[in-house]
Every structure is written in C-alpha cells, then in structure tokens.
Amino acid sequence: MSMNQDLTGKLYFEVKVLRLVLGGYLYTMKVPEKVYILMDALKYNAINDFWVGLDDILEEGVYRWADDDSLLIDNAVNSSWPWFAINQPDNLGNEDCIEYSKSIYPVNDISCSLLFRFICELEL
C-alpha cells in the first residue's frame, strides 16, 4: 500500500490516469480485512478523506471495483456490503465516486470533482 503525500490531493480522474502510469490501482475494500487495514493505517493520520477504488461512473447505481472492473457484490449495496455510511450511497448531486471518510465512516459516495488524497495498490 502506497499513500500519496500530495497536500493538495487529486481529482478521481487524475488518480485513475496516474495509476496507469504507476501500474497499480486505487485501494479496494472487497473483504473486511482490507477495511480494517485501511482503518488502522489511517488511525493517526490527520487527513480525513481518501479516494477508494469504487465508482458508478459508467452506469448509475452499478458500482465497479478499480482493480478488475468487477461489480460490487452484485450491487446489493447496503444488504451485502456494510461499509457505506448510513443512508449512503445517495447520489446527491450526481455523486459517482467513493471516498473513505473518517468523519462519515467509513465510505460515502461523493462528486468526482473534489480533491482528495489516495492510496494506490501496486502489484509486486
């Protein structure tokens, strides 16, 4: 896991291009262990919001993982994947990207045009 140290953050689309250059992908949280690893890694970090490798850009309500384009548990969002915050995702104002947020806990859909830090997974 490699955390970006850019204080200004990046747009979601910038990160998707950058990951191609680096040969990795945005951090995915497909299994509970990866959520706990992220929570532990960010526990003492002052930054609250990070991009997660999950979005519904191609089709509203159909969430795809950044690492292999697979669907989020057949998109049974709140019933099978418990990591969305209460009443999320809500697509308020066309929110297609997903952030990990310590203040909302743990993930939330949000506009892709915001600047956040990111965590990139690299295959070794």
Side-chain angles (χ1 to χ4, degrees), residues 3 6 13 26 63 72 83-84 87 107-108 113 119 124:
M3 193 177 310
D6 185 346
F13 299 106
L26 278 170
Y63 291 89
L72 168 65
W83 304 114
F84 275 111
N87 298 320
V107 298
N108 169 54
S113 63
I119 297 171
L124 302 176

Side-chain angles (χ1 to χ4, degrees), residues 12-23:
Y12 188 81
F13 299 106
E14 290 177 312
V15 175
K16 287 189 88 165
V17 170
L18 182 59
R19 67 138 181 118
L20 292 172
V21 173
L22 295 174

Side-chain angles (χ1 to χ4, degrees), residues 6 18-19 29 31 33 36 38 40-41 43 47 49 54 75 77 80 86 97 101 107-108 114 120 124:
D6 185 346
L18 182 59
R19 67 138 181 118
M29 302 169 11
V31 295
E33 293 79 16
Y36 302 135
L38 181 63
D40 191 51
K43 188 182 325 183
I47 306 300
D49 304 296
L54 180 67
N75 291 294
V77 176
S80 300
I86 295 172
C97 294
S101 175
V107 298
N108 169 54
L114 297 173
C120 189
L124 302 176

Side-chain angles (χ1 to χ4, degrees), residues 1-110:
M1 177 168 35
S2 173
M3 193 177 310
N4 120 286
Q5 298 299 318
D6 185 346
L7 296 178
T8 61
K10 299 282 183 207
L11 298 172
Y12 188 81
F13 299 106
E14 290 177 312
V15 175
K16 287 189 88 165
V17 170
L18 182 59
R19 67 138 181 118
L20 292 172
V21 173
L22 295 174
Y25 46 87
L26 278 170
Y27 194 75
T28 60
M29 302 169 11
K30 293 180 183 178
V31 295
E33 293 79 16
K34 289 186 74 176
V35 178
Y36 302 135
I37 288 169
L38 181 63
M39 293 166 105
D40 191 51
L42 300 178
K43 188 182 325 183
Y44 301 109
N45 192 307
I47 306 300
N48 286 325
D49 304 296
F50 289 83
W51 289 121
V52 172
L54 180 67
D55 65 62
D56 69 345
I57 293 169
L58 294 178
E59 182 180 346
E60 188 60 43
V62 178
Y63 291 89
R64 296 182 182 278
W65 291 108
D67 61 344
D68 62 5
D69 212 30
S70 64
L71 299 180
L72 168 65
I73 312 172
D74 297 323
N75 291 294
V77 176
N78 286 314
S79 61
S80 300
W81 199 69
W83 304 114
F84 275 111
I86 295 172
N87 298 320
Q88 296 297 329
D90 61 3
N91 196 38
L92 183 65
N94 196 29
E95 299 173 325
D96 291 327
C97 294
I98 304 298
E99 66 162 333
Y100 172 87
S101 175
K102 291 194 284 187
S103 61
I104 296 175
Y105 180 78
V107 298
N108 169 54
D109 64 329
I110 197 156

